[in-house]
RNA sequence: GGCCCCGUGGCGGAACGGCAGACGCAGCGGACUUAAAAUCCGCUGUCGCGCAAGCGGCGUGUGGGUUCGAGUCCCACCGGGGCCACCA
């Protein structure tokens, strides 16, 4: 069959030729080079812009179409900004250390360095194929020796500093030593005074202040990976995020980073950055600040310190709970049970341990409970979180508010690492305490109520104390009142609620804690109880009101003091309420009561106000091969790693040694000792050094740094990738990070306006794009390092990333067979006989949509898409799918739409037979000029806010317009060229080709983006819709400058409108100039 | 369980509180072809009336509210997704 496709039709084949030719040209001409200060071509007057992507792990599988979504977006944005005349830094590096890279190397039996280099090369090839305008000289990899030398250097900076709480910032450790020497600072009470300490003790004291330190901590040990993991790398099921292996808690001596010192700044500085709110929220939650108080309970001769956020509920505390690991337990545990101690408090010997039954002494019960708690996995603990366990330790503590003797328990629902590891339990106002109290028959004393409940108490005087305590029925009332009022059901509904409350069935045992809203509604469906919300009610609302002594609904509302009641589900716990006990707090709103109680406690010496954080220090060492070695040695003979010795800067880098067997020591045995693979490099691990006191033998630190180390600062190395004297040149750092985007150019500032709000305050990277999966890990660690570097004067901004944008995921269909196992999506086809049925090897499979990736076997590679349609079509499609921040399904059928668009653009100005441009030099007709300028204006606006889907739609519209306007005749150059330039950021290859075929020399990369003529955006006449009672009934054309009365007259005069107004009185005419008219008539 | 985000045609999605469904896909009809593909033109939320141009009703998950006017703002519910999950 003869192929009659014209030789210059824009097909995949033609696109492939165009694309590779221009990619070569771009490389050869270095068109993306962004000069640093002092480099050739640098112009201080030119505004700068730093655009950054979260760099990838170069996995062996290569890129799939989900990866470049964000990269394409930043590339378009960067290209657009270059065309506005900015000096744009856009580069792509590789996060190549860490578990995934090492795991891939293990799987394929190659050395990690070899496989990493291969993978990086493959990623680079794939990205180049997509036409990315990355500046290659800045594309560093975290595994480059010249890179990790500086990772080690930064580690030494952190190691060499301490956090001064008085100044709220990190300072060099030498200044701390100096303060001790001079006596301006004294050692903490627990430590020996400085002047009476020996050298070793002084060193230990100093070490205890460092931001990077060795400590025996209860770590997450993952034997299957042969390494410890950070809290952030462990899932809520207690398994490793990588590989899903079991993780065990175990004390080990490890490197830690004192990120907790920065908790407050990491929290408060979120205010100043332009980040998506959900991400900020996740960071806030992770940091987990809570204000509260330490309260001391007398407990025999000891004082037992608890932490609470609700000191105002102290009077409601009816028992005390310690974490099983709490150090005071051994001291407090009683020798024998008291006479009156119930059986259930004494623990239960488990089956297999001989006779089942309560333990003979508290000591035995405690021991058994601790052992059982340690055996229980996190998963088990969570699955039955409502079933509280614990044992009484035989001791009592005195409630400082009531003077009562409260029993002391240990229970694993109290965590050892948070607060003081001890709590006062207030079962009336805390769900967990309530669950525990019910389990153990402990008293429940309520001391505060939502406002509505206080009101309801007045109404329902019939309810006894007993009823309230046992069932916390007030939450039901609160639920229902909130429901009734917020639904604006009105007096009838309110009466319904009252009727329901009075007739509501007793709480049953299987619904022990509280009636939820759903159950309340269920109850309302019970015949006889209420008969439905709108149905027959047993009493009329007047009757109900009269019952309660009100004559009208308004009067009732007035009694409540406000028209809306805020109480909702859980209000009794959450605390928008009023305290009623103890006497000092009577009638105070909770916020006030908390403050008042805090003061009282402090005044009476029972404790003090404090702030606690959930954030823990960062576990910084791993027992793996493929990571940055620590620049740390120990004296030979110091077997327990007691005294780390930092290597001097000139000894950096500490290169990762070549070893044959780099596998981690994986095992199933949770009690096995970690054995870092670097221990096998014997030559490397032991060395002779002269650290100023003569040559001595030293041992190297054998752990490596975690995955996150390199990604904590790579964006700084992009700025100055080849610098051998510093991690980044100070002036260069200031230029790219500190100066405001668009600051120097007048018009540029205006252009950035819509985008700029986030850029005033913190400085840093102007736009950082990446997935939301890094909301806490990478983004928190990087902020921490950046702040340390800022405090030490190495960087000029307190925050690294001024504006953050999260792109969504690309989802793709995935298929499971009857066993629920995923099958190769590429080999599934739709059954032609019955659409909607999908077949894999002739067997039906079930379709679902999920994030594209290896695990769902639904990967589509950009290489395939490029081969079928070309890179420009691929880029355009990914941007056209929908809003960048949204997750959306990959639908290959839709790609032809954007491909056809490019084809039409091409054909509009190129002769498909000869390849010659077919444009005229004619002037544009008025209507076309207006359309063009409206498009320019719209596309610019869309580009500024990364709304590429709508920008493309506008370009398609423009092209459709041009196709119609110049059907059968050449398109004027005055339309063709702006169209090409607007297309250039989105589809750079075809734009370059068209530009050159239109007879223009050079690349479009540095051409100026078209500007809209404001005169072309205003219109002389406008068509306004005219509504009658909110429905469009007609249209009038009026002068754009027409005043309100003219528009009003025109609207009323309209024939159609008049027809609708016939026989009606016009009450009001609303005229929104330039928008519409609405006539209110009856 | 808590917090957060999202519900618009057959599909992806447009829409400063002001003409709902831009643009694309799919579908239908037509032109060009011996034919098909490609390409081009037109139609395409839904129901009713009409031969027709057209006219009208209903429509943004459900129920309320605010407003001259609600996809958009507020409340509740239903459904989907995400994050955290015994943090006192």
């Amino acid at each position: 069959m003869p192929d009659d496709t014209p030789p210059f039709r824009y097909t995949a084949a033609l696109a492939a030729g165009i694309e590779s030719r221009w990619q070569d040209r771009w490389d050869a001409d270095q068109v993306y080079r962004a000069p640093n200060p002092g480099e050739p071509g640098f112009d201080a007057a030119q505004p700068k812009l730093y655009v950054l992507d979260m760099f990838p792990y170069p996995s062996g599988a290569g890129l799939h179409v989900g990866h470049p979504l964000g990269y394409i977006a930043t590339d378009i944005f960067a290209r657009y900004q270059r065309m506005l005349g900015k000096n744009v830094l856009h580069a792509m590096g590789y996060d190549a250390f860490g578990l995934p890279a090492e795991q891939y190397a293990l799987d394929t039996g190659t050395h990690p360095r070899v496989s990493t280099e291969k993978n990086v090369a493959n990623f680079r090839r794939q990205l180049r194929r997509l036409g990315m305008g990355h500046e290659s000289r800045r594309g560093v990899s975290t595994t480059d020796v010249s890179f990790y030398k500086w990772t080690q250097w930064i580690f030494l900076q952190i190691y060499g500093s301490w956090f001064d709480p008085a100044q709220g910032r990190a300072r060099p450790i030498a200044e701390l030593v100096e303060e001790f020497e001079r006596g301006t600072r004294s050692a903490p009470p627990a430590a020996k005074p400085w002047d009476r300490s020996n050298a070793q003790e002084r060193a230990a004291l100093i070490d205890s202040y460092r931001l990077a330190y060795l400590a025996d901590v209860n770590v997450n040990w993952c034997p299957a990976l042969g390494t410890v993991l950070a809290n952030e790398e462990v899932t809520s099921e207690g398994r490793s995020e990588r590989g899903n292996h079991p993780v065990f808690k175990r004390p080990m001596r490890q490197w830690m980073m004192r990120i907790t010192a920065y908790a407050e700044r990491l929290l408060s500085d979120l205010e100043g950055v332009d980040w998506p709110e959900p991400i900020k929220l996740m960071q806030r939650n992770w940091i987990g600040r809570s204000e509260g108080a330490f309260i001391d309970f007398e407990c025999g001769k000891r004082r037992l310190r608890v932490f609470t956020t609700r000191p105002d509920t102290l009077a409601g505390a009816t028992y005390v709970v310690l974490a099983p690991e709490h150090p005071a337990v051994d001291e407090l545990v009683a020798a024998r049970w008291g006479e009156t101690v119930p059986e259930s408090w004494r623990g239960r010997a488990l089956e297999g341990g001989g006779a089942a039954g309560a333990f003979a002494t508290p000591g035995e019960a405690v021991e058994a409970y601790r052992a059982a708690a340690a055996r229980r996995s996190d998963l088990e603990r969570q699955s039955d979180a409502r079933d509280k366990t614990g044992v009484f330790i035989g001791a009592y503590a005195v409630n400082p508010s009531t003077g009562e003797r409260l029993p002391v328990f240990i229970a694993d629902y109290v965590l050892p690492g948070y607060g003081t590891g001890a709590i006062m339990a207030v079962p009336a106002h805390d769900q967990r305490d309530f669950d525990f109290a019910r389990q153990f028959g402990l008293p429940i004393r309520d001391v505060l109520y939502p406002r509505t409940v206080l009101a309801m108490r007045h109404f329902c005087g019939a309810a006894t104390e007993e009823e309230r305590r046992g069932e916390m029925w007030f939450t039901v009332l609160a639920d229902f009142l909130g429901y009734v009022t917020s639904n604006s059901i009105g007096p009838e509904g309110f009466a319904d609620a009252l009727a329901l409350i009075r007739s509501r069935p007793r709480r049953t045992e299987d619904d022990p804690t509280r009636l939820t809203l759903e159950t309340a509604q269920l109850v309302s469906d019970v015949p006889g109880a209420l008969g439905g919300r709108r149905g027959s009610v047993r009493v009329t609302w007047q009757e109900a009101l009269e019952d309660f002594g009100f004559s009208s609904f308004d009067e009732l509302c007035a009694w409540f003091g406000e028209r809306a009641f805020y109480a909702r589900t859980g209000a009794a716990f959450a605390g928008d309420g009023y305290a009623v006990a103890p006497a000092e707090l009577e009638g105070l709103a909770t916020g006030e009561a908390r403050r008042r109680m805090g003061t009282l406690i402090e005044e009476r010496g029972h404790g003090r106000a404090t702030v606690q954080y959930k954030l823990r220090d960062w576990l910084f060492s791993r027992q793996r091969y493929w990571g940055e070695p620590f620049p740390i040695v120990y004296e030979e003979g110091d077997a327990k790693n007691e005294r780390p010795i930092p290597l001097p800067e000139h000894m950096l880098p500490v290169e990762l040694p070549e070893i044959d067997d780099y596998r981690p020591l994986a095992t199933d045995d949770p009690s096995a000792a970690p054995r870092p693979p670097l221990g096998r490099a014997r030559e490397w691990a032991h060395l002779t050094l002269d650290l100023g006191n003569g040559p001595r033998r030293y041992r190297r630190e054998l752990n490596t740094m975690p995955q996150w180390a390199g990604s904590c600062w790579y964006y700084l190395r992009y700025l100055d990738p080849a610098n051998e004297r510093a991690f980044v040149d100070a002036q260069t750092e200031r230029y790219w990070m500190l100066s405001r985007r668009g600051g120097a150019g007048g018009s540029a500032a205006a252009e950035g306006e819509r985008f700029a709000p986030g850029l005033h305050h913190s400085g840093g990277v102007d736009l950082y794009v990446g997935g939301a999966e890094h909301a806490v890990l990478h983004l928190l660690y990087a902020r921490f390092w950046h702040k340390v570097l800022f405090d030490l004067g190495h960087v000029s901004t307190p925050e690294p990333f001024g504006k953050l944008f999260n792109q969504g995921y690309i989802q793709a269909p995935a298929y499971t067979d009857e066993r629920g196992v995923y099958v190769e999506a590429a080999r599934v086809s739709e059954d032609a006989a019955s659409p909607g049925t999908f077949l894999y090897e002739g067997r039906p499979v079930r379709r679902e949509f999920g994030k594209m990736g290896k695990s769902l076997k639904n990967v589509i590679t950009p290489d395939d898409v490029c081969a079928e349609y070309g890179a420009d079509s691929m880029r355009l499609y990914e941007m056209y799918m929908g809003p960048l921040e949204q997750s959306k399904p990959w639908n290959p059928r839709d790609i032809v739409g954007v491909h056809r668009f490019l084809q039409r653009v091409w054909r509009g100005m190129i002769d498909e037979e000869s390849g010659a441009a077919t444009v005229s030099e004619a002037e544009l007709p008025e209507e076309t000029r207006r359309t063009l300028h409206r498009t320019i204006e719209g596309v610019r606006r869309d580009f500024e806010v990364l709304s590429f889907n709508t920008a493309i739609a506008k370009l398609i519209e423009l092209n459709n317009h041009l196709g119609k306007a110049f059907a059968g005749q050449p398109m004027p150059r005055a339309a063709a060229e702006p169209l090409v330039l607007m297309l250039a950021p989105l589809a750079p290859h075809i734009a370059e080709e068209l530009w050159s075929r239109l007879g223009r020399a050079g690349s479009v990369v540095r051409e100026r983006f078209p500007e809209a003529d404001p005169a072309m955006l205003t219109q002389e006449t406008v068509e306004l819709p005219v509504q009658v009672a909110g429905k469009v009934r007609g249209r009038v054309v009026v002068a754009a400058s027409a005043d309100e009365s003219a528009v009003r007259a025109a609207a009323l005069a309209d024939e159609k409108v008049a027809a609708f107004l016939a026989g009606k009185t016009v009450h009001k005419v609303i005229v929104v100039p330039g928008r519409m008219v609405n006539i209110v008539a009856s």
Side-chain angles (χ1 to χ4, degrees):
Chain A
M1 206 198 304
D3 181 6
D4 56 359
T5 306
F8 288 94
R9 168 158 296 172
Y10 185 76
T11 60
L14 191 80
I18 292 171
E19 287 166 6
S20 69
R21 200 162 60 243
W22 282 101
Q23 283 155 13
D24 292 345
R25 266 282 295 278
W26 293 332
D27 282 353
D29 297 350
Q30 294 195 41
V31 290
Y32 305 114
R33 188 179 170 92
N36 280 352
E39 289 182 342
F42 180 77
D43 173 8
Q46 188 186 17
K48 68 89 189 181
L49 185 83
Y50 186 3
V51 180
L52 182 69
D53 299 277
M54 289 185 188
F55 65 167
Y57 310 116
S59 78
L63 293 173
H64 62 64
V65 295
H67 289 113
L69 185 68
Y71 305 157
I72 294 169
T74 50
D75 187 54
I76 293 166
F77 189 69
R79 285 174 182 275
Y80 167 66
Q81 295 288 342
R82 271 185 211 108
M83 293 177 77
L84 295 180
K86 293 191 186 152
N87 189 21
V88 177
L89 195 160
H90 192 210
M92 183 63 72
Y94 297 90
D95 187 15
F97 268 136
L99 280 175
E102 182 174 313
Q103 209 63 46
Y104 177 77
L106 287 170
D107 294 345
T108 56
T110 46
H111 190 280
R113 182 168 303 285
V114 175
S115 62
T116 296
E117 274 165 15
K118 205 176 108 226
N119 294 346
V120 166
N122 187 40
F123 269 54
R124 286 220 168 95
R125 177 192 62 77
Q126 287 185 298
L127 290 173
R128 185 177 187 275
R129 175 85 184 81
L130 287 169
M132 294 294 165
H134 297 145
E135 198 178 351
S136 54
R137 65 166 174 153
R138 299 183 190 266
V140 296
S141 175
T142 54
T143 50
D144 298 339
V145 177
S146 61
F147 181 93
Y148 73 69
K149 168 186 173 178
W150 295 106
T151 310
Q152 293 169 338
W153 180 84
I154 294 171
F155 173 84
L156 289 178
Q157 297 301 307
I158 298 171
Y159 178 79
S161 355
W162 61 295
F163 192 85
D164 180 357
Q167 297 188 13
R169 66 178 186 95
R171 296 170 61 192
I173 204 84
E175 295 180 12
L176 179 70
V177 176
E178 203 178 308
E179 288 192 12
F180 279 126
E181 291 289 350
R182 277 211 310 258
T184 51
R185 174 179 294 272
S186 45
K192 229 173 167 182
W194 182 264
D195 47 14
R196 284 199 275 124
S197 301
N198 61 29
Q200 219 172 358
E201 287 163 340
R202 288 180 178 186
L205 179 64
I206 293 299
D207 283 357
S208 71
Y209 278 82
R210 294 179 187 274
L211 287 178
Y213 62 98
L214 272 172
D216 290 296
V217 282
N218 218 11
V219 295
N220 305 296
W221 163 238
C222 180
L225 291 174
T227 184
V228 299
L229 298 169
N231 289 336
E232 291 85 342
E233 294 167 314
V234 180
T235 65
S236 56
E237 275 97 48
R239 303 180 81 88
S240 64
E241 202 163 64
R242 294 276 170 196
N244 202 33
H245 304 293
V247 171
F248 300 85
K249 284 278 181 195
R250 222 186 116 176
M252 289 187 193
R253 191 162 178 79
Q254 297 291 329
W255 281 99
M256 304 294 289
M257 289 251 173
R258 207 178 299 279
I259 190 171
T260 50
Y262 279 85
E264 194 57 50
R265 276 170 62 189
L266 287 169
L267 188 68
S268 58
D269 286 356
L270 283 174
E271 303 288 333
V273 292
D274 183 11
W275 286 19
E277 255 337 291
I279 302 295
K280 287 191 185 184
L281 195 68
M282 281 162 71
Q283 291 223 345
R284 286 193 192 106
N285 289 343
W286 191 265
I287 295 165
R289 181 183 203 272
S290 15
E291 283 180 26
F294 291 135
I295 303 179
D296 296 327
F297 285 64
E298 300 289 342
C299 187
K301 290 183 292 278
R302 270 190 71 109
R303 306 196 105 188
L304 197 53
R305 172 160 279 197
V306 306
F307 172 70
T308 179
T309 53
R310 300 298 302 269
D312 53 320
T313 63
L314 176 58
T318 53
Y319 60 102
V320 168
V321 189
L322 309 183
E325 301 87 340
H326 195 286
V329 173
D330 291 324
E331 203 181 317
L332 295 175
V333 67
R336 63 185 74 83
W337 302 116
E339 301 265 310
T340 57
V341 173
E343 196 78 350
S344 64
W345 291 16
R346 304 186 186 190
R348 243 196 313 274
L350 296 169
E351 61 282 8
F359 289 97
T361 66
E364 281 173 48
V366 165
E367 196 185 331
Y369 185 73
R370 279 178 167 170
R375 268 199 310 276
R376 244 172 127 205
S377 73
D378 283 354
L379 185 62
E380 285 172 311
R381 275 175 67 148
Q382 273 159 36
S383 64
D384 45 37
R386 290 299 274 273
D387 291 326
K388 296 285 183 287
T389 60
V391 292
F392 179 49
I393 66 169
Y396 293 87
V398 178
N399 183 330
S401 166
T402 62
E404 278 176 306
R405 254 166 43 111
L406 312 183
V408 179
F409 288 77
I410 57 170
D412 65 1
Y413 84 92
V414 173
L415 306 176
Y418 185 74
T420 61
I423 62 155
M424 63 177 204
V426 186
H429 303 296
D430 182 281
Q431 187 67 52
R432 296 154 302 182
D433 296 342
F434 181 78
D435 295 338
F436 189 88
R438 287 187 67 92
Q439 203 114 352
F440 289 87
L442 289 154
I444 296 164
R445 178 176 308 125
D446 41 356
V447 291
L448 56 93
Y449 306 94
R451 159 177 282 223
T452 42
V453 169
L454 294 181
M456 290 312 295
R457 270 216 308 203
H458 171 79
F459 286 142
C460 310
T464 64
E465 279 298 289
E466 216 43 46
E467 280 174 322
R468 277 189 293 115
R469 283 184 191 173
E471 307 181 33
M472 292 203 286
W473 61 276
F474 48 78
T475 59
V476 184
L477 311 189
D479 279 0
F480 216 84
L481 289 174
Y483 176 73
V484 166
T485 53
S486 61
N487 275 296
S488 304
I489 288 170
E492 297 88 347
F494 192 86
D496 287 2
L498 297 180
L500 170 66
I501 287 158
R502 298 175 78 213
S503 64
R504 81 173 223 298
R506 298 290 308 226
R507 201 79 63 90
T508 55
E509 264 314 303
D510 47 288
D511 179 19
T513 52
R514 57 181 184 171
L515 210 55
T516 61
L517 185 54
E518 291 86 78
T519 19
Q521 280 175 307
L522 256 182
V523 168
S524 76
D525 291 335
V526 175
L530 191 61
R533 190 155 56 77
R534 292 279 184 195
S536 62
V537 184
R538 286 205 310 187
V539 291
T540 67
W541 65 275
Q542 286 97 340
E543 284 168 353
L545 284 173
E546 279 163 27
D547 245 19
F548 292 112
F550 291 96
S551 58
S552 71
F553 186 64
D554 286 344
E555 194 185 322
L556 180 142
C557 289
W559 193 89
F560 272 73
E562 52 195 4
R563 199 172 183 295
F565 309 106
Y566 301 116
R568 276 190 247 144
T569 309
F573 300 120
D576 183 20
Y578 282 74
V580 296
E584 296 102 317
L585 305 180
E586 190 83 48
L588 291 182
T590 50
E592 233 172 301
R594 282 161 81 170
R595 278 189 298 275
R596 178 94 187 95
M597 195 64 188
T599 319
L600 285 174
I601 287 166
E602 208 152 341
E603 275 171 15
R604 296 174 188 178
H606 295 309
R608 63 177 174 85
T610 181
V611 174
Q612 295 289 308
Y613 300 90
K614 283 200 272 184
L615 186 70
R616 304 294 146 82
D617 276 346
W618 175 18
L619 173 61
F620 195 71
S621 41
R622 300 291 185 275
Q623 293 73 46
R624 297 288 287 219
Y625 170 69
W626 195 232
E628 300 87 346
F630 281 77
I632 292 286
V633 295
Y634 303 89
E635 294 241 15
E636 199 76 77
D638 176 5
K640 288 161 69 190
N641 294 0
E642 299 283 1
R643 271 294 288 151
I645 301 163
L647 291 173
E649 196 178 322
H650 69 83
M651 289 189 186
L652 300 183
V654 177
E655 285 198 50
L656 194 57
E658 292 296 324
I659 54 176
D660 297 332
D661 184 7
Y662 45 82
R663 287 170 306 151
L665 200 86
T667 164
D668 302 330
D669 178 9
S671 62
R675 304 231 305 267
L678 287 184
R680 296 187 204 115
R682 294 190 183 285
E683 301 283 296
W684 177 86
H686 301 271
L687 69 168
T688 304
L689 288 175
D690 184 348
L691 295 175
N693 47 2
R696 290 188 183 204
R697 289 295 285 169
Y698 294 94
R699 226 164 21 77
R700 286 191 193 274
E701 170 64 62
L702 298 179
N703 286 309
T704 50
M705 297 188 199
Q707 168 98 66
W708 313 101
S711 61
C712 276
W713 77 282
Y714 72 106
Y715 56 93
L716 292 168
R717 192 60 180 175
Y718 283 1
L719 306 179
D720 198 7
N723 195 328
E724 289 177 8
R725 296 184 318 279
F727 76 113
V728 58
D729 172 74
Q731 189 198 354
T732 300
E733 187 274 333
R734 286 175 66 84
Y735 172 73
W736 289 112
M737 297 291 283
L738 188 60
S739 56
R740 272 183 57 190
R741 169 176 171 263
S747 70
E751 278 159 4
E753 211 174 310
R754 283 180 65 118
F755 195 66
L759 304 172
H760 314 261
H761 36 69
S762 59
V765 174
D766 295 300
L767 175 66
Y768 193 22
V769 175
E773 69 271 22
H774 292 116
V776 279
L777 303 174
H778 157 60
L779 288 171
L780 199 63
Y781 296 150
R783 292 180 64 216
F784 166 52
W785 276 36
H786 198 89
K787 284 182 185 305
V788 178
L789 291 172
F790 175 73
D791 287 352
L792 299 177
H794 296 305
V795 298
S796 49
T797 66
E799 283 288 328
F801 315 118
K803 183 182 175 76
L804 178 70
F805 189 98
N806 290 122
Q807 92 273 20
Y809 297 121
I810 288 188
Q811 299 168 321
Y815 304 88
T816 51
D817 61 17
E818 64 274 13
R819 295 166 302 165
V821 176
Y822 286 99
V823 300
E824 231 23 92
R827 292 174 53 201
V828 172
S829 57
E830 190 163 1
D831 189 350
S834 65
T837 310
F838 298 88
L839 300 174
Y840 174 77
E841 293 179 343
R843 317 252 296 266
V845 287
R846 212 170 60 81
R847 183 171 70 158
E848 59 185 73
F849 278 84
K851 183 181 168 186
M852 189 174 287
K854 223 167 41 182
S855 54
L856 301 190
K857 293 191 183 169
N858 60 352
V859 166
I860 298 160
T861 72
D863 296 324
D864 291 346
V865 181
C866 285
E868 202 172 341
Y869 296 98
D872 282 334
S873 295
M874 156 91 193
R875 291 168 61 104
L876 225 43
Y877 171 62
E878 291 219 353
M879 293 302 104
Y880 194 57
M881 289 171 78
L884 189 60
E885 66 274 19
Q886 243 170 58
S887 289
K888 51 237 155 186
W890 180 262
N891 185 359
R893 266 216 293 232
D894 289 345
I895 307 174
V896 299
V898 288
H899 183 69
R900 288 206 280 246
F901 162 60
L902 292 180
Q903 227 168 36
R904 285 197 301 272
V905 171
W906 177 270
R907 192 168 42 237
M909 44 190 102
I910 300 294
D911 181 272
E912 292 191 329
E913 294 300 330
S914 68
T918 57
V919 291
S920 75
E921 305 301 324
E923 293 226 335
L924 291 181
E926 175 77 8
E927 196 201 343
T928 300
R929 286 185 63 189
R930 288 193 179 279
T931 306
L932 173 65
H933 284 267
R934 262 204 316 277
T935 305
I936 293 171
E937 173 68 13
V939 166
R940 278 181 167 247
R941 253 203 329 264
D942 289 345
F943 276 178
E944 289 291 343
V945 295
L946 311 180
S947 179
F948 301 120
N949 56 330
T950 52
I952 293 167
K954 289 182 174 85
L955 291 175
I956 293 174
E957 267 181 287
L958 173 64
N959 193 52
N960 289 348
H961 169 86
L962 295 176
K964 279 195 186 67
F966 305 105
Q969 47 176 313
M971 185 189 294
R973 179 178 293 275
E977 290 194 345
L979 175 59
V980 168
L981 290 175
M982 284 191 279
L983 198 56
L986 297 158
H989 312 89
I990 190 176
E992 291 279 22
E993 186 71 15
L994 288 170
W995 191 246
S996 86
R997 280 180 192 268
L998 287 170
R1000 299 299 221 117
S1003 164
V1004 290
V1005 168
R1006 302 282 172 184
E1007 283 296 329
R1008 291 303 294 230
F1009 201 83
E1011 281 184 49
D1013 178 356
M1016 288 287 112
L1017 301 176
T1018 57
Q1019 304 212 309
E1020 279 162 28
T1021 61
V1022 286
E1023 191 188 67
L1024 299 183
V1026 181
Q1027 301 180 339
V1028 178
K1031 288 192 196 307
V1032 178
R1033 298 303 187 182
R1035 276 156 228 292
V1036 290
V1037 177
V1038 296
S1041 58
D1043 65 7
E1044 206 174 308
S1045 61
V1047 173
R1048 179 193 171 107
L1052 289 169
D1054 185 76
E1055 199 178 300
K1056 280 193 197 148
V1057 172
F1060 273 95
L1061 292 175
K1064 288 177 178 165
T1065 322
V1066 175
H1067 295 292
K1068 203 171 172 186
V1069 179
I1070 291 120
V1071 177
V1072 186
R1075 306 289 319 184
M1076 47 80 66
V1077 182
N1078 191 12
I1079 300 168
V1080 187
S1082 66

